[in-house]
Amino acid sequence: MQDEVQDAVQEKVQVKVLGPGCANCVTLERVTREALAALGLAADVEKVTDYATIAGYGVMRTPALVVDDEVVLAGRVPTVGHVKELLAAHTPA
């Protein structure tokens, strides 16, 4: 049973929403949470507002979405469907 718990913890997706806290950043976080819920994925969603950290990802335009430390979207707010596609592509089957 402990192995099952450990596997569940390891399968949790790490998601970061990068941006200064503008309306688009808030919208991206909401859309991302909706997509995660629709896919039934467990995830830690972190908001990153520190400009140095954002720049460290190579992001020049916000908002941006990072999944498991890979920038998958930057400079725009996607639809829930697009975020679902991005998340599905970065999660094990």
Side-chain angles (χ1 to χ4, degrees), residues 41-66:
L41 292 175
D44 289 326
V45 179
E46 179 183 349
K47 292 166 70 171
V48 178
T49 58
D50 179 67
Y51 288 107
T53 303
I54 293 169
Y57 280 98
V59 171
M60 302 310 273
R61 294 181 60 201
T62 61
L65 184 64
V66 176

Side-chain angles (χ1 to χ4, degrees), residues 15-34:
V15 176
K16 296 178 184 177
V17 176
L18 311 181
C22 63
N24 284 340
C25 301
V26 171
T27 301
L28 177 58
E29 180 183 7
R30 178 184 52 79
V31 167
T32 300
R33 289 184 186 278
E34 288 177 19

Side-chain angles (χ1 to χ4, degrees), residues 2 5 7 12 16 25 27 35 43 50 60-61 66-67 69-70 74-75 78 80-81 83 93:
Q2 190 169 5
V5 172
D7 288 344
K12 197 173 227 188
K16 296 178 184 177
C25 301
T27 301
D50 179 67
M60 302 310 273
R61 294 181 60 201
V66 176
V67 179
D69 285 325
E70 180 182 341
V80 173
V83 175

